[in-house]
Amino acid sequence: DRDVTGVQTCALPISRFDESIPIFQESARGFENLLGTSSGAYLYTELFKGMSVEMQGNHNEAYLLYDEVLKKWIQTRDTSDPMAVFVQTALGSVLRKLGKYKMAEEMLLEAFGGRQRLYGLDVNVLVDSAMQLAILYREQGHGKKSTKFLDTVITSSVLKSDFERMCQDAHIRAIVAFDAGEYEAPKASLMLLLHEATGAVRHKNNREVLWTRITLADVMR
């Protein structure tokens, strides 16, 4: 049933990965029977399944799913449309996790350029693409390239209105500075983040602030 298949895809608790994957698989079979494996509905379902698989740490399987989705998508559609750019970003991210840095760089640069053309500076997905590249370059030991990509979006309104992304930006910059042997300035910048999510503003706590605490504890040790 077309309606049931759609609900299976959309109305699932995506953080419960063991439960979500079989639901995606059932939805994909339904869309394949109804619309074929080149349909947008089928490919979106495979993409979401890949995200759940990736979150479980199965990076090779996620890579194969993303790669297949991208190939099928661009067979019949524009390579620069939002879905293609979305899949390129996911593919670049998992390639980085697999240590395939050259392939990851090519994919993430293409996605970054696509998002610039599609959306401009003041959207969260462009900021996310810049951060993906910054993390990639930092992992390769290219600190200057890392901060260069953060600087490309430094004037984005997203970093003024979205506290979690502001924390991500500050955290990456601090880690790059620690890598370079600095200590006091990056430590102070991260301590300021903690002050912005403590006491009366504790509700501003987010995942990046939690990672920031771990980084601070590590460098202080």
Side-chain angles (χ1 to χ4, degrees), residues 5-219:
T5 302
V7 170
Q8 286 172 336
T9 303
C10 298
L12 65 106
I14 197 161
S15 60
R16 292 159 64 178
F17 304 117
D18 288 337
E19 296 175 44
S20 72
I21 290 171
I23 295 173
F24 282 133
Q25 289 170 333
E26 186 177 351
S27 296
R29 285 193 295 270
F31 284 130
E32 181 178 359
N33 292 333
L34 286 166
L35 306 169
T37 59
S38 295
S39 68
Y42 175 85
L43 294 175
Y44 270 111
T45 304
E46 289 291 277
L47 171 63
F48 295 146
K49 183 173 75 174
M51 293 167 71
S52 289
V53 166
E54 182 182 354
M55 291 300 103
Q56 287 186 315
N58 299 324
H59 298 144
N60 278 305
E61 186 181 348
Y63 164 72
L64 293 173
L65 281 164
Y66 294 151
D67 189 54
E68 186 64 18
V69 168
L70 185 61
K71 285 176 181 174
K72 286 184 176 178
W73 188 269
I74 64 178
Q75 282 174 358
T76 56
R77 300 168 179 87
D78 192 338
T79 58
S80 63
D81 76 3
M83 172 63 169
V85 174
F86 184 11
V87 183
Q88 286 170 341
T89 304
L91 194 52
S93 173
V94 81
L95 283 166
R96 176 184 62 80
K97 293 174 184 177
L98 289 168
K100 298 181 179 181
Y101 291 126
K102 183 62 178 173
M103 293 171 65
E105 181 181 18
E106 291 172 358
M107 196 62 62
L108 290 173
L109 283 172
E110 191 168 346
F112 180 79
R115 284 178 165 176
Q116 272 189 314
R117 290 189 295 272
L118 284 166
Y119 306 119
L121 185 65
D122 296 317
V123 291
N124 54 9
V125 290
L126 182 67
V127 172
D128 292 344
S129 282
M131 289 183 183
Q132 287 273 11
L133 282 158
I135 294 167
L136 171 71
Y137 289 129
R138 183 264 165 176
E139 286 188 3
Q140 295 180 87
H142 303 317
K144 289 184 179 178
K145 272 191 174 183
S146 179
T147 53
K148 170 191 170 184
F149 266 94
L150 295 178
D151 288 343
T152 63
V153 295
I154 197 169
T155 59
S156 172
S157 61
V158 173
L159 292 175
K160 298 178 179 65
S161 61
D162 188 323
F163 180 63
E164 184 165 9
R165 285 181 171 84
M166 186 190 83
C167 292
Q168 290 170 334
D169 177 81
H171 194 188
I172 297 168
R173 289 178 186 275
I175 291 173
V176 170
F178 290 135
D179 290 343
E182 300 174 40
Y183 177 67
E184 291 296 344
K187 184 189 80 168
S189 72
L190 295 185
M191 292 296 292
L192 283 173
L193 289 185
L194 299 193
H195 290 313
E196 292 193 51
T198 304
V201 288
R202 189 172 178 79
H203 64 279
K204 293 175 69 176
N205 257 310
N206 57 64
R207 289 171 298 176
E208 200 66 27
V209 172
L210 299 179
W211 283 115
T212 295
R213 288 188 172 93
I214 293 171
T215 297
L216 276 169
D218 188 40
V219 297

